[in-house]
């Protein structure tokens, strides 16, 4: 299942700039605590805001060829996503047993696949409207945080709920999963998609599968 394609079928939209309201802080908090909470939410949300801003440029009319738009989006994907964590979770326990060379080759292809999927889904001329909920939600698992967003249009601003599971690491807060309608995990969907390719233990089959998907995405 391709969650981003599913979203487009549901909303007939492409992603555009994120609109972030000021965090809502309970009045009972001391002033310094309110400032800390606001800054924390802003830090968690910043990669999503940057991603949406890049997607607005990608979907603008006259934004160029598929290759040009991919190059335009790549820095935002690198900034927003913890690509290796998403890949490792999507592959599952087999990932730990891969050699460093296998991991690097697969990671390179998976990054290209992630970029290509976005560029293919969010074509120039789309009428997309994005909102980011003002308050970041704690994840029920671990110390992750959830940024709640909605994809909408000028006719339907609320649109479809797309949430990002964010995790703090050496490079700051990064996406480690995407949830459709708050509960359908992109990582889980990818794991199901990738499992058949990896069933024989040949990582090259998964690399080839991703390369085929990239080629399909790029055919405009």
């Amino acid at each position: 299942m391709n969650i981003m394609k599913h979203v487009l079928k549901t909303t007939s939209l492409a992603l555009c700039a994120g609109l972030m309201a000021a965090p809502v802080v309970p009045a009972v908090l001391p002033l310094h605590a309110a400032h800390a909470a606001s800054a924390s939410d802003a830090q968690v949300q910043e990669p999503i805001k940057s991603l949406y801003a890049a997607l607005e440029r990608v979907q603008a009319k006259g934004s160029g060829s598929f290759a040009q738009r991919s190059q335009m989006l790549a820095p935002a994907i690198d900034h927003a996503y913890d690509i290796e964590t998403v890949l490792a979770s999507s592959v599952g326990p087999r990932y730990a047993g891969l050699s460093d060379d296998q991991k690097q080759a697969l990671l390179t292809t998976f990054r290209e696949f992630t970029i290509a999927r976005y560029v293919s889904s969010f074509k120039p001329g789309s009428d997309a409207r994005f909102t980011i909920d003002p308050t970041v939600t704690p994840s029920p698992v671990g110390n992750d945080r959830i940024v709640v967003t909605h994809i909408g249009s000028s006719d339907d601003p609320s649109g479809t709920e797309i949430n990002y599971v964010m995790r703090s690491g050496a490079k700051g807060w990064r996406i480690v999963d995407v949830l459709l309608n708050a509960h359908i995990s992109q990582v889980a969907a990818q794991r199901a998609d990738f499992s058949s390719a990896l069933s024989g233990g040949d990582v090259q089959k998964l690399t080839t599968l991703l390369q085929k998907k990239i080629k399909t995405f790029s055919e405009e």
Side-chain angles (χ1 to χ4, degrees):
M1 173 185 176
N2 185 325
I3 287 179
M4 290 303 176
K5 288 293 185 182
H6 180 85
V7 170
L8 287 178
K9 289 179 181 178
T10 304
T11 63
S12 300
L13 294 173
L15 282 170
C16 74
L19 304 175
M20 184 169 66
V24 177
V25 180
V28 296
L29 287 178
L31 183 59
H32 69 276
H35 287 169
S38 176
S40 177
D41 280 5
Q43 288 170 359
V44 178
Q45 292 170 326
E46 187 276 330
I48 308 304
K49 184 179 180 182
S50 295
L51 175 62
Y52 288 167
L55 287 166
E56 182 182 39
R57 295 191 294 272
V58 166
Q59 74 163 10
K61 292 180 180 179
S63 54
S65 66
F66 184 91
Q68 289 170 326
R69 301 195 319 271
S70 295
Q71 187 175 26
M72 188 186 307
L73 184 61
I77 293 293
D78 291 338
H79 178 62
Y81 272 87
D82 184 340
I83 289 288
E84 185 164 18
T85 293
V86 175
L87 174 61
S89 299
S90 298
V91 170
R94 290 186 181 93
Y95 187 79
L98 300 180
S99 69
D100 289 344
D101 287 346
Q102 287 175 320
K103 288 179 179 177
Q104 186 56 54
L106 188 56
L107 182 62
T108 298
T109 305
F110 183 70
R111 174 182 176 272
E112 293 173 359
F113 161 78
T114 302
I115 295 167
R117 177 172 55 192
Y118 269 100
V119 173
S120 174
S121 297
F122 313 129
K123 291 179 169 59
S126 299
D127 174 32
R129 299 290 184 272
F130 262 70
T131 57
I132 301 176
D133 281 16
T135 303
V136 173
T137 304
S139 171
V141 179
N143 295 317
D144 293 348
R145 309 282 293 279
I146 297 175
V147 175
V148 178
T149 79
H150 292 82
I151 304 176
S153 69
S154 54
D155 295 329
D156 179 20
S158 59
T160 299
E161 184 172 334
I162 299 291
N163 298 343
Y164 295 87
V165 181
M166 309 296 291
R167 184 170 299 163
S168 180
K171 295 183 179 180
W173 291 93
R174 295 292 184 269
I175 300 167
V176 294
D177 200 1
V178 184
L179 307 177
L180 172 63
N181 290 327
H183 68 279
I184 302 175
S185 164
Q186 188 176 67
V187 163
Q190 288 176 163
R191 188 181 300 127
D193 191 27
F194 295 173
S195 61
S196 59
L198 288 168
S199 60
D202 185 359
V203 70
Q204 184 56 45
K205 289 184 178 179
L206 177 55
T207 301
T208 300
L209 171 66
L210 292 174
Q211 289 170 340
K212 288 180 179 178
K213 290 178 180 289
I214 293 168
K215 183 178 179 181
T216 299
F217 290 145
S218 66
E219 293 172 351
E220 298 186 330

